[in-house]
Amino acid sequence: MTDYIIALDQGTTSSRAIIFDKKGSIISVGQKEHEQIMPRAGWVEHDPIEIRDNMREVIGIALGRANLTRHDIAAIGITNQRETAVVWDKNTGIPVYNAIVWQDTRTQSIVDRLAGDAGVERYKDIVGLPLATYFSGTKIVWILENVEGAREKAEAGDLVFGTTDTWVLWNLTGGPSGGIHATDVTNASRTLFMDLQTLEWRDDILADFGVPRSMMPEIRSSSEVYGEARETSLLRETPVAGILGDQQAATFGQAAFDAGESKNTYGTGNFLIFQTGTDIVKSENGLLTTVGYKLGDGPTHYALEGSIAVTGSLIQWLRDQLGIISTAPEVEQLALSVDDNGGVYFVPAFSGLYAPYWRPDARGAIVGLTRYANRGHLSRAALEATAFQTREVLDAVNADSGVDLTELKVDGGMIANDTLMQFQADILGVPVVRPVVAETTALGAAYAAGLAVGFWNDLDELRANWQEDKRWTPNDDVEERERQLRLWKKAVAKSMDWVDADVR
Ligand SMILES: Nc1ncnc2c1ncn2[C@@H]1O[C@H](COP(=O)(O)OP(=O)(O)OP(=O)(O)O)[C@@H](O)[C@H]1O
Ligand SMILES: [Mg+2]
């Protein structure tokens, strides 16, 4: 009996395979971290072969732990870190360079060159995005311009590009022998190359970037049968039937399907998505316009997104670079060792600032330091940075939509932190709500796949699966909230204008 769906979540820090039942409950999980390769300041890479192999391994772990085989699995859903670019030789399956990760800022000079006199918003009306290092487009250009022989091979039609959904799909469905080279509309909407109206690659933009169209995957919906897992896979002959970029998947997993519904995910970075239905809404306040989902032949659903580059990764930084904690949860104990932030504010502009500022010239800043400040204050400031950044994105969403959100649905690794969630509610002034199944990213991909094969019938069935687990209610100290926010904004101002010709 095919009673289950397996979701493959190819994330920034790890790859996961999660098996779900019809209620959307987790049956088993396999998870493996991969190396974060940082050869220089601002550069972040992953080894695509390590990711491919980890994905195979975690599929085995998830099946093994649940004591299931492929015969129990109705379909495979894929979700992924978005924007991270892989370029590989389609004849051999060997990448010509490491994956260049979404946080990587090496392509700023390519962004500047493409922006020229027209500015970074030159394609925004078509693709919904400003030119920025964040998106896949300039990462492909960097590989073509900096890897020996890459341009020639690309022009000869031997190299292909994919975000990691495409990389996983291609390998799962046959690799060099017949692998399917496709992506879904949500991932495609993060490249800078897809027209939001037509859902097709724009030849003119590809030409401006110098990226051969033959490298680009086919754009498909988020929920349809793309193909079957190949013979040598543990999941052989199982249909791959759903693909959603991780943030859109989390939104789907939160059952936030309709215009006006939203969620905020607290992972490596934070991403608030606000569904706008079938309307393409242009932001006046620093949000991105992106595709929310498209189910088979159904209408395209669009969304506004507030992307914050550094939230959970700041906690990893305290752990790995400073060594003041040995595990992420320890940050909460340290933060609770002091009464307040001691006047310290930490702006983690490690990749510049994303929403709502979009300032590549910003860099990380810790301000308000005195001789009094200790590790506790620093930990507290690091946690609070996540809440302040979220508040600024929520303000942008409220301004763009013209209605104020009355509560915030949350998910992701950081929501295990009670102190942060309470502070978040206090700084927002609205309740923060966590669902029972916090693995919404994988759940959303499972939903997309399950809908395509009739495992679930409609969205109402999925809505019925959503259940509240916990709610944090804000305190009513409006004056303190506004004071803190004012100081945060002052700190943000101090992080700007750092990168100039002299800063390498
Ligand atoms: N108790 C905690 N307090 C604060 N931060 C935490 C805590 N537990 C985990 N984190 C942070 O949460 C992040 C992991 O969350 P999650 O697994 O949702 O990330 P992610 O972005 O989905 O990763 P990936 O991209 O690999 O899927 C890490 O950056 C970690 O530092
Ligand atoms: Mg994730």
Side-chain angles (χ1 to χ4, degrees):
M1 283 292 288
T2 50
D3 287 337
Y4 307 96
I5 301 281
I6 191 166
L8 310 181
D9 177 0
Q10 200 306 293
T12 309
T13 51
S14 73
S15 299
R16 281 176 260 218
I18 304 189
I19 298 175
F20 292 95
D21 68 9
K22 213 162 231 167
K23 290 250 150 256
S25 304
I26 293 175
I27 302 301
S28 68
V29 182
Q31 177 169 12
K32 204 161 178 214
E33 289 203 10
H34 52 264
E35 192 188 347
Q36 304 295 316
I37 304 163
M38 292 177 270
R40 295 189 202 179
W43 292 30
V44 189
E45 302 175 359
H46 296 155
D47 175 357
I49 297 293
E50 182 187 9
I51 284 178
R52 182 198 69 190
D53 293 348
N54 284 0
M55 195 50 95
R56 285 180 189 161
E57 209 173 316
V58 297
I59 290 169
I61 294 169
L63 287 170
R65 286 191 177 149
N67 197 25
L68 297 172
T69 73
R70 67 188 173 96
H71 299 292
D72 302 298
I73 307 291
I76 304 165
I78 298 174
T79 180
N80 59 298
Q81 52 170 326
R82 306 170 301 171
E83 301 100 9
T84 296
V86 189
V87 174
W88 69 96
D89 187 322
K90 67 179 188 189
N91 309 305
T92 62
I94 308 291
V96 297
Y97 191 77
N98 276 336
I100 301 185
V101 178
W102 56 275
Q103 303 140 319
D104 191 295
T105 57
R106 81 183 66 185
T107 59
Q108 189 58 48
S109 61
I110 299 174
V111 167
D112 296 341
R113 187 176 83 208
L114 285 162
D117 293 337
V120 293
E121 305 220 324
R122 67 183 283 202
Y123 304 116
K124 199 165 180 205
D125 281 349
I126 303 164
V127 303
L129 315 171
L131 281 165
T133 60
Y134 176 26
F135 309 109
S136 319
T138 59
K139 301 180 196 295
I140 307 173
V141 174
W142 191 92
I143 291 174
L144 293 179
E145 290 180 356
N146 291 278
V147 176
E148 216 187 301
R151 163 128 354 246
E152 293 70 31
K153 279 170 100 178
E155 267 156 21
D158 291 327
L159 298 191
V160 288
F161 153 78
T163 36
T164 64
D165 55 319
T166 303
W167 175 242
V168 169
L169 175 71
W170 189 80
N171 280 293
L172 192 62
T173 55
S177 26
I180 293 162
H181 186 227
T183 189
D184 91 305
V185 286
T186 66
N187 278 292
S189 75
R190 317 295 296 186
T191 56
L192 282 166
F193 298 146
M194 191 186 78
D195 187 322
L196 285 174
Q197 294 276 0
T198 63
L199 307 180
E200 281 170 14
W201 302 124
R202 287 283 297 224
D203 284 317
D204 53 344
I205 304 179
L206 285 167
D208 289 348
F209 278 62
V211 172
R213 190 180 168 114
S214 57
M215 293 181 76
M216 301 305 288
E218 188 188 344
I219 303 175
R220 310 272 289 263
S221 81
S222 316
S223 175
E224 63 178 273
V225 176
Y226 311 100
E228 284 182 354
R230 67 154 136 191
E231 251 156 62
T232 53
S233 164
L234 277 179
L235 292 169
R236 78 184 62 112
E237 292 168 12
T238 311
V240 188
I243 303 177
L244 282 164
D246 56 5
Q247 301 310 321
Q248 284 88 343
T251 316
F252 212 72
Q254 287 267 22
F257 305 124
D258 294 337
E261 295 187 308
S262 62
K263 66 86 210 187
N264 194 27
T265 300
Y266 297 70
T268 305
N270 262 36
F271 301 86
L272 199 157
I273 287 197
F274 179 86
Q275 302 280 20
T276 60
T278 51
D279 294 340
I280 299 177
V281 176
K282 295 193 171 111
S283 175
E284 304 290 326
N285 296 283
L287 303 176
L288 308 174
T289 306
T290 201
V291 177
Y293 63 93
K294 176 176 163 44
L295 307 177
D297 296 335
T300 310
H301 291 256
Y302 297 93
L304 285 169
E305 174 177 316
S307 327
I308 304 169
V310 178
T311 58
S313 61
L314 181 57
I315 309 306
Q316 292 173 338
W317 184 82
L318 294 179
R319 185 192 65 188
D320 303 338
Q321 255 79 358
L322 287 198
I324 64 171
I325 49 173
S326 55
T327 65
E330 277 175 39
V331 75
E332 190 165 11
Q333 292 145 35
L334 257 190
L336 289 172
S337 69
V338 291
D339 292 334
D340 54 32
N341 64 17
V344 178
Y345 291 80
F346 194 155
V347 185
F350 295 167
S351 306
L353 285 169
Y354 288 10
Y357 296 103
W358 299 104
R359 288 288 296 258
D361 58 316
R363 281 299 176 269
I366 303 173
V367 301
L369 286 176
T370 60
R371 181 68 179 78
Y372 170 74
N374 64 28
R375 302 184 307 161
H377 298 116
L378 202 60
S379 301
R380 194 139 188 148
L383 282 178
E384 290 182 358
T386 292
F388 288 129
Q389 293 185 97
T390 298
R391 163 71 197 252
E392 294 209 87
V393 163
L394 194 86
D395 286 347
V397 169
N398 286 343
D400 272 340
S401 71
V403 271
D404 287 357
L405 282 187
T406 52
E407 62 174 40
L408 187 65
K409 281 183 173 179
V410 299
D411 52 61
M414 286 187 102
I415 68 162
N417 193 310
D418 215 57
T419 307
L420 170 61
M421 288 299 108
Q422 185 57 53
F423 185 73
Q424 182 70 85
D426 293 344
I427 278 298
L428 294 178
V430 298
V432 169
V433 188
R434 170 173 88 193
V436 173
V437 181
E439 285 283 2
T440 51
T441 302
L443 182 60
Y447 280 167
L451 283 171
V453 298
F455 185 81
W456 287 290
N457 294 312
D458 54 32
L459 298 184
D460 281 338
E461 216 175 309
L462 306 181
R463 278 190 191 95
N465 279 347
W466 193 94
Q467 280 179 320
E468 180 172 323
D469 177 49
K470 184 160 182 181
R471 174 176 290 259
W472 290 269
T473 315
N475 67 21
D476 52 12
D477 194 344
V478 179
E479 208 173 302
E480 175 60 7
R481 180 183 306 152
E482 294 311 316
R483 188 186 75 87
Q484 293 258 24
L485 198 65
R486 187 182 72 80
L487 291 171
W488 164 257
K489 289 189 180 196
K490 228 162 93 160
V492 169
K494 298 201 185 298
S495 76
M496 290 179 182
D497 263 331
W498 182 253
V499 177
D500 58 25
D502 248 3
V503 179
R504 278 185 275 270

